[in-house]
Amino acid sequence: MKYVFGNWKANKNYSEVQSWISEFQSKPLEIFEGVVEIVICPPYPFITTLHEAFASTPWIKIGSQDISYYGAGRYTGEVPAHSLGDIVSYSIIGHSERRSNFNETNTIIDQKAQNALESGIEPLVLIRDGNDTIPSNVSFVCYEPSSAISTGEGNIVQHNVPVQDIIEQKSLLSIPADFKFIYGGSVTTDTIHEYARVKEIDGVLPGSASLDPEAFYHIARAFVELQN
Ligand code: PGA
């Protein structure tokens, strides 16, 4: 099984989400069944909308972009694992934008990962380099060097990381062979074929490209094409 996580970050309003859904659903989605697990990670307010929209295509799952450090209770404004557990399958944890903009440390990220696991959510932990530790009991890790993340100013391809470097990092970071190893950072319709053909890479995490349903579909389809 391959995995394609779409990280929408802090983008889209309700009507834009409706358009994204209808355009994505106009495509043949059954081609992914049993081959690619697609995980859409929208801002919190749209999680239920997407969860309901894709209820009849269970190979298309929903993920959150973060999870609270705290449990359920008196934490106004927080979204705990308990509230997400029955609507999301995955949580992105430790994205470099959270580490740098919100001062998230390895300790905080470790707690968030344990919170997710306790609520039956699979954490996808993002690692930039060897300073970022992998929490215990996780099995999905995404290698995403900060320098490879697109700025959204049309420079996506310029930051493209060579496949050989990614494979080398997988061993430098000592990612266990039975982990799912995801790559993120400027993944586009132009670069996906390089990553999709590599057995060491179990999937990708496009950000900017996932905002466009057409591009996101093509990225996921690359894994199907390579199966055939
Ligand atoms: P990008 O974002 O694909 O726009 O580079 C990836 C990410 O930061 O998750």
Side-chain angles (χ1 to χ4, degrees), residues 38-190:
I38 293 176
V39 186
I40 306 165
C41 306
Y44 286 128
F46 311 124
I47 285 178
T48 46
T49 306
L50 284 152
H51 174 72
E52 283 159 17
F54 291 99
S56 60
T57 45
W59 56 96
I60 299 175
K61 306 232 183 284
I62 312 305
S64 65
Q65 299 172 16
D66 186 28
I67 206 163
S68 181
Y69 174 80
Y70 301 99
R74 296 182 301 144
Y75 301 103
T76 303
E78 286 294 293
V79 183
H82 177 70
S83 302
L84 294 166
D86 50 4
I87 41 173
V88 308
S89 305
Y90 295 88
S91 280
I92 297 173
I93 295 182
H95 192 283
S96 63
E97 288 157 10
R98 295 214 59 88
R99 291 180 192 261
S100 58
N101 298 335
F102 303 98
N103 303 319
E104 290 195 6
T105 60
N106 284 328
T107 311
I108 291 173
I109 288 157
D110 188 79
Q111 182 62 53
K112 289 184 170 194
Q114 304 319 315
N115 292 352
L117 288 164
E118 273 168 30
S119 288
I121 301 167
E122 190 69 59
L124 173 67
V125 176
L126 270 69
I127 304 288
R128 298 164 299 181
D129 53 41
N131 296 317
D132 295 344
T133 53
I134 302 173
S136 49
N137 302 318
V138 309
S139 44
F140 280 73
V141 169
C142 175
Y143 169 58
E144 184 170 84
S146 316
S147 59
I149 299 175
S150 67
T151 60
E153 288 157 12
N155 65 346
I156 297 180
V157 175
Q158 177 184 328
H159 290 282
N160 192 17
V161 176
V163 168
Q164 211 41 51
D165 291 5
I166 299 170
I167 297 171
E168 204 175 297
Q169 280 299 323
K170 185 177 180 181
S171 80
L172 286 173
L173 295 167
S174 307
I175 309 290
D178 59 342
F179 273 37
K180 299 296 179 195
F181 181 67
I182 311 299
Y183 174 71
S186 297
V187 174
T188 64
T189 50
D190 292 332

